[in-house]
């Protein structure tokens, strides 16, 4: 190993790490606000990349039909719970309509836009929008009624949601993988390194998203509301912050981040319906490094995971995943020795 | 998901069962979900096109999903032998699952037709027959082609699973005989986002050719990764990659890649002297009519071959015993071992008591990717 190889590996590790960082941030975000360990985070990655791939072929992606089905389920759940509280059919229908309107509009736009073969960027935006719409619906259907359950119950629900989403992915996208065209077909040589346009976009997007998230949590009222929920749910509710809408917002953001990650890795690898799981798990390892609570920590953890992975596959490619996931043991040991308190309640 | 599929399959099966006991029952366990679903789904498609009768007897087909999980495969196989009393087990298409199922076949004395080249210790495969070509046969074809092309050194980039491991063994052995050396061996997994590190090591060794061992659309990414590091030599891919997904995902970068495959992949280009041409054409046309032109593939071909083999073996076994009895199962095994050379779509099989692999060494066909299509070399 010389400096050239080391620098190429480092670049590769950082590029992958940037994507893991996004997923790690999403995992931390969802956990702090809702106490859900969101295992299906990776599924949004695969959904994002594959939705774009299907749009590229000029067909209507199956995610649209899934979105409609989920919207109908979520809307009826909303209507029923509203009816139970108020016994008012108008209010019940109104709340159902609110849930339905966005997914239905989005589906109509997609059905219209799919055969028109718009430029790649427009299709990318559309894919991100479709996948983002899944976020609140997943929360409404799977988690909202269990809001006060223990993290363990929520984790079990997450595993179920993960299996359901992977299975539906297989149903809608098929077993074979897709590779998307690059957004920027460019190659810059920097000494021994050659940086692809895709890597640059990955870095730029990750950085921009992290800054945006920071601004959102520091400056925007909604962001502060999310933070308040994360610190103390009951307190936040007493202050008039709905924990339902906080949860839905957190999930929407997680879905958006997942979809963006999918769009970012789509051109550099073949994405399968089940590819997201491993990528999401690496984001989860990054989040664990940060104790599921700190955003900068998750980012550092993700870059670390990326670099370990790159060097691990150079030295012992057969044991790459083993190396990455075994890392979680010493980290957990170190954290529990350092912290000493229970992470059960946040 | 898995459970639902199973339930439906079970419900469908129980509808037909019960009445006609003399029918030949075939229990099929395939990876319809999970990582190997790309192999199992085309097989299920072809099974839907199977004839209704084999050797004059009605057949009853039970298809279960094993989700690419050895535990499920064994569970399915146990169900087949205890509840359904099947005469033949078919499956799985995933190597680790097929290996696990072989134990049940041996224990219950039921013939297993595996749709994957499962490697088993001697004696363990007494009841297991493989439908696909062994990796040895395929490695032989690649090595012969490499020899003609003047390739002396090879870099290996393969899956971390049993498929990659078996290929590594087969290729090392076949290469040694012809003086072809493996200079770098690297591994990757299908879901990996990059192979940069492995590609660095492989290109540093600068071999004459690269052998990529991967399946379906997963085979393109590693090759692209190596090309990205500036490698200009030849590429070889294995028979699990012999689907149109390779050029679809790989695009221009995979042009000129050599792929080893069975005869089913481009039968129209086979010389008329090839005995498999007629069957392979028949398979290609029928599969294409049902599921879209050019959608035929290796694994659909294996599913096509199962009734072809049974058509020859079942009449022999019927002379000795009735379906549904242990005697029939034993007679079927004897028939498969003694029926001699059998032409199938994938080549010519010749199973004997000691050899349950069967294909002759010249079965493998090398095709080249030209303009996104396969051309026989």
């Amino acid at each position: 190993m010389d400096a050239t190889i080391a620098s190429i590996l480092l670049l590769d590790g950082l590029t992958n790490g940037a994507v893991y960082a996004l997923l790690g941030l999403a995992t931390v975000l969802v956990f702090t606000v809702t106490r859900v360990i969101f295992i299906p985070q990776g599924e949004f990655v695969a959904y994002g990349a594959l939705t774009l791939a299907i749009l590229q072929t000029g067909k209507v992606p199956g995610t649209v039909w899934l979105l409609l089905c989920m919207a109908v389920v979520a809307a009826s759940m909303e209507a029923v719970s509203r009816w139970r509280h108020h016994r008012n059919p108008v209010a019940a229908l109104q709340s159902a309509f609110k849930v339905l309107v966005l997914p239905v509009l989005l589906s109509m736009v997609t059905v219209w836009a799919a055969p028109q073969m718009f430029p790649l960027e427009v299709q990318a935006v559309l894919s991100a929008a479709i996948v983002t719409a899944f976020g609140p619906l997943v929360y409404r259907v799977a988690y909202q009624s269990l809001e006060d359950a223990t993290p363990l119950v929520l984790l079990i629900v997450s595993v179920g949601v993960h299996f359901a989403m992977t299975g539906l992915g297989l149903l809608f996208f098929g077993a074979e993988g897709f590779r998307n065209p690059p957004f920027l077909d460019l190659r810059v040589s920097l000494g021994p390194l050659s940086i692809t346009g895709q890597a640059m976009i990955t870095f730029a997007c990750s950085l921009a998203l992290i800054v945006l998230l920071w601004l959102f949590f520091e400056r925007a009222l909604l962001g502060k509301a999310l933070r308040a929920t994360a610190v103390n749910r009951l307190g936040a509710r007493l202050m008039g912050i709905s924990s339902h809408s906080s949860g839905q917002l957190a999930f929407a953001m997680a879905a958006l981040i997942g979809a963006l990650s999918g769009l970012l890795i789509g051109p550099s690898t073949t994405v399968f319906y089940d590819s997201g799981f491993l990528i999401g798990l690496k984001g989860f390892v990054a989040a664990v490094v940060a104790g599921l609570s700190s955003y900068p920590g998750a980012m550092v953890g993700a870059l670390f995971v990326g670099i370990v992975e790159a060097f691990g596959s150079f030295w012992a490619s057969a044991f790459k995943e083993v190396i990455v996931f075994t890392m979680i043991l010493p980290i957990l040991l170190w954290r529990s020795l350092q912290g000493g308190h229970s992470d059960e309640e946040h | 998901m898995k459970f639902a599929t199973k339930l439906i399959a079970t419900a469908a099966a129980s509808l037909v069962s019960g009445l006609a006991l003399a029918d030949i029952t075939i229990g099929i366990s395939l990876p319809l979900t999970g990582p190997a679903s790309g192999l199992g789904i085309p097989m299920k498609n072809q099974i839907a096109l199977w004839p209704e009768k084999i050797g004059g007897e009605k057949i009853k087909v039970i298809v279960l999903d094993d989700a690419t999980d050895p535990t499920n495969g064994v569970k399915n196989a146990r169900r087949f032998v205890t509840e359904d009393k099947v005469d033949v087990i078919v499956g799985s298409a995933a190597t680790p699952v097929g290996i696990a199922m072989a134990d049940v076949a041996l224990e219950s004395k039921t013939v297993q037709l595996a749709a994957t080249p499962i490697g088993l210790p001697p004696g363990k495969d007494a009841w297991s027959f493989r439908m696909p070509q062994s990796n040895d046969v395929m490695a032989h074809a690649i090595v012969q082609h490499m020899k003609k092309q003047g390739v002396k050194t090879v870099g290996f980039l393969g899956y971390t699973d049993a498929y990659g491991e078996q290929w590594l063994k087969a290729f090392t052995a076949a290469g040694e005989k012809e003086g072809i050396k493996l200079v770098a061996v690297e591994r990757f997994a299908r879901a990996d986002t990059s192979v940069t590190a492995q590609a660095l090591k492989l290109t540093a060794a600068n071999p004459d050719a690269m052998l990529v061992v991967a399946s379906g659309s997963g085979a393109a990414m590693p090759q692209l990764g190596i090309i990205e590091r500036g490698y200009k030599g030849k590429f070889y891919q294995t028979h699990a990659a012999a689907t149109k997904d390779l050029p679809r995902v790989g695009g221009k970068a995979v042009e000129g890649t050599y792929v080893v495959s069975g005869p089913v992949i481009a039968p129209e280009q086979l010389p008329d002297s090839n005995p498999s041409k007629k069957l392979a054409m028949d398979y290609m046309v029928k599969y294409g009519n049902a599921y879209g032109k050019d959608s035929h593939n290796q694994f659909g071909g294996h599913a096509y071959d199962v009734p072809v083999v049974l058509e020859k073996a079942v009449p022999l076994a019927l002379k000795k015993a009735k379906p549904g009895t242990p005697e029939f199962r034993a007679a079927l095994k004897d028939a498969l071992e003694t029926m001699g050379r059998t032409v199938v779509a994938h080549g010519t099989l010749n199973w004997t008591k000691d050899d349950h692999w069967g294909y002759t060494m010249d079965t493998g066909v090398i095709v080249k990717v030209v303009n996104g299509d396969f051309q026989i070399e």
Side-chain angles (χ1 to χ4, degrees):
Chain A
M1 154 139 341
D2 54 20
T4 316
I5 291 179
S7 59
I8 295 174
L9 288 179
L10 204 62
L11 178 69
D12 184 53
L14 289 177
T15 319
N16 285 334
V19 173
Y20 301 153
L22 291 180
L23 296 171
L25 291 185
T27 309
V28 171
L29 169 71
V30 168
F31 183 74
T32 48
V33 176
T34 63
R35 293 174 309 131
V36 172
I37 293 178
F38 197 46
I39 292 168
Q41 180 62 40
E43 260 62 61
F44 289 133
V45 178
Y47 277 29
L50 292 172
T51 303
L52 178 61
I54 305 284
L55 279 176
Q56 278 281 307
T57 62
K59 287 183 200 133
V60 180
T63 25
V64 171
W65 312 125
L66 179 61
L67 184 65
L68 280 178
C69 294
M70 282 196 65
V72 170
V73 174
S76 30
M77 283 172 83
E78 190 70 36
V80 167
S81 71
R82 187 53 68 93
W83 169 252
R84 277 198 189 140
H85 277 198
H86 301 288
R87 298 278 159 195
N88 180 351
V90 181
L93 283 178
Q94 248 177 0
S95 56
F97 180 75
K98 263 193 217 153
V99 176
L100 267 179
V101 64
L102 196 73
V104 169
L105 274 180
L106 206 55
S107 310
M108 275 155 60
V109 170
T110 315
V111 171
W112 165 76
Q116 320 265 342
M117 297 301 272
F118 284 118
L120 184 61
E121 288 75 16
V122 179
Q123 292 183 341
V125 171
L126 194 58
S127 314
I130 295 172
V131 177
T132 308
F134 272 104
L137 296 179
V138 168
Y139 181 75
R140 181 64 193 88
V141 172
Y143 296 102
Q144 190 164 305
S145 45
L146 291 169
E147 251 172 3
D148 297 318
T150 60
L152 184 62
V153 171
L154 295 170
L155 173 67
I156 294 167
V157 174
S158 282
V159 174
V161 173
H162 157 69
F163 279 123
M165 286 184 71
T166 321
L168 290 165
L170 175 63
L171 181 68
F172 286 120
F173 301 115
E176 291 302 336
F178 291 87
R179 197 185 175 101
N180 291 330
F183 291 101
L184 186 63
D185 214 351
L186 181 84
R187 193 169 279 274
V188 184
S189 287
L190 210 96
L193 290 177
S194 89
I195 306 174
T196 58
Q198 194 56 39
M200 286 194 260
I201 290 185
T202 307
F203 283 127
C205 276
S206 303
L207 208 65
L209 209 65
I210 289 165
V211 171
L212 277 176
L213 276 177
W214 178 75
L215 281 177
F216 176 72
F217 282 118
E218 287 297 317
R219 300 265 181 263
L221 189 62
L222 262 180
K224 287 180 182 169
L226 276 191
R227 270 174 62 200
T229 318
V231 173
N232 189 326
R233 297 166 65 76
L234 188 64
R237 265 171 88 172
L238 291 174
M239 293 300 121
I241 300 168
S242 154
S243 55
H244 291 345
S245 48
S246 293
Q248 293 190 359
L249 182 62
F251 269 70
M253 288 170 70
L256 174 66
I257 293 172
L260 279 177
S261 315
L263 298 177
L264 289 176
I265 61 157
S268 54
T269 185
T270 312
V271 179
F272 294 84
Y273 72 96
D274 61 348
S275 289
F277 181 54
L278 263 186
I279 303 171
L281 269 192
K282 282 171 195 160
F284 176 69
V285 172
V288 167
V289 173
L292 284 173
S293 59
S294 139
Y295 295 99
M299 206 179 80
V300 173
L303 296 178
F304 179 61
V305 169
I307 292 169
V308 166
E309 191 187 25
F311 281 85
S313 37
F314 185 79
W315 278 310
S317 55
F319 299 106
K320 190 190 78 172
E321 311 296 13
V322 180
I323 295 170
V324 170
F325 291 116
T326 311
M327 230 169 56
I328 210 167
L329 295 176
I331 290 168
L332 283 177
L333 185 68
W334 166 69
R335 283 209 69 87
S336 65
L337 285 180
Q338 225 203 4
H341 67 86
S342 154
D343 278 337
E344 190 69 7
E345 277 313 314
H346 262 274
Chain B
M1 180 79 190
K2 283 185 300 193
F3 189 64
T5 331
K6 249 187 215 171
L7 268 184
I8 294 166
T10 320
S14 49
L15 271 181
V16 242
S17 73
L19 297 168
L21 271 174
D23 296 353
I24 295 171
T25 318
I26 305 176
I28 304 172
S29 172
L30 292 174
L32 301 177
T33 55
S37 48
L39 315 177
I41 292 171
M43 286 195 66
K44 189 176 145 242
N45 287 343
Q46 176 61 33
I47 288 165
L49 305 177
W50 273 9
E52 278 180 20
K53 283 183 175 182
I54 286 179
E57 294 287 317
K58 264 211 170 134
I59 58 168
K60 194 179 108 187
V61 177
I62 307 161
V63 182
L64 295 184
D65 177 20
D66 59 42
T68 328
D69 180 349
T71 323
N72 281 336
V74 170
K75 231 190 282 167
N76 289 347
R78 289 221 181 278
R79 205 204 98 157
F80 288 149
V81 294
T82 52
E83 282 175 41
D84 303 312
K85 308 260 188 291
V86 299
D87 300 296
V88 188
I89 299 172
V90 177
S92 171
T95 307
V97 188
I99 291 174
M101 286 169 64
D103 277 339
V104 184
L106 180 69
E107 199 185 291
S108 64
K109 299 201 186 327
T110 312
V111 169
Q112 175 197 19
L113 297 174
T116 158
I118 48 175
L120 292 168
K124 279 274 184 191
D125 67 346
W127 290 82
S128 301
F129 298 78
R130 292 92 171 169
M131 294 310 297
Q133 299 84 354
S134 68
N135 293 333
D136 294 319
V137 167
M138 291 311 209
H140 176 79
I142 290 193
V143 165
Q144 290 306 316
H145 189 264
M146 282 180 170
K147 202 174 124 196
K148 260 187 251 154
Q149 300 269 325
V151 173
K152 289 261 174 292
T153 51
V154 176
F156 178 100
L157 179 55
Y159 276 172
T160 41
D161 65 4
Y163 185 66
E165 193 59 37
Q166 288 183 7
W167 255 98
L168 183 60
K169 268 195 203 148
F171 187 83
T172 316
E176 252 168 25
K177 277 185 222 147
E178 301 292 347
I180 294 175
K181 238 177 49 196
L182 277 175
V183 288
V185 175
E186 291 298 322
R187 294 307 195 58
F188 78 106
R190 193 187 64 141
D192 284 359
T193 42
S194 96
V195 291
T196 306
Q198 293 94 321
L200 270 174
K201 266 192 149 168
L202 288 166
T203 44
N206 200 22
D208 298 333
M210 295 281 184
L211 174 64
V212 178
V213 180
S215 60
S217 34
M221 190 275 281
Q223 184 170 346
L224 265 58
I226 296 175
I227 292 172
E228 212 163 87
R229 295 261 73 88
Y231 180 73
K232 300 252 181 324
K234 298 181 178 64
F235 276 98
Y236 285 84
Q237 293 264 6
T238 61
H239 49 315
T243 66
K244 288 283 157 65
D245 289 306
L246 178 65
R248 175 177 66 78
V249 176
K252 279 211 183 64
V254 299
E255 284 288 305
T257 304
Y258 299 110
V259 187
V260 66
S261 84
V264 296
I265 232 48
E268 71 282 4
Q269 297 173 34
L270 287 173
D272 286 335
S273 58
N274 191 314
S276 296
K277 179 165 182 169
K278 218 180 98 212
L279 285 172
M281 283 294 284
D282 181 56
Y283 157 65
M284 181 183 80
V285 171
K286 281 186 182 150
Y287 195 95
N289 285 344
Y291 303 107
K293 203 174 167 292
D294 273 348
S295 60
H296 64 287
N297 52 68
Q298 287 280 121
F299 281 84
H302 295 315
Y304 178 90
D305 286 342
V306 169
V308 175
V309 166
L310 291 179
E311 191 67 54
K312 191 164 173 186
V314 163
L316 297 174
L318 278 174
K319 278 184 206 152
K320 293 190 199 157
K322 268 217 155 82
T325 58
E327 292 77 26
F328 180 77
R329 296 200 287 274
L332 195 62
K333 174 179 182 274
D334 288 342
L336 288 171
E337 283 171 347
T338 53
M339 67 187 182
R341 290 173 75 87
T342 311
V343 177
V344 293
H346 261 288
T348 306
L349 273 169
N350 190 7
W351 284 322
T352 61
K353 203 163 170 16
D354 304 314
D355 179 14
H356 285 186
W357 291 94
Y359 286 99
T360 45
M361 272 300 185
D362 53 4
T363 310
V365 179
I366 300 275
V367 294
K368 189 177 176 182
V369 181
V370 179
N371 294 328
D373 212 335
F374 291 123
Q375 215 171 66
I376 288 190
E377 272 286 289

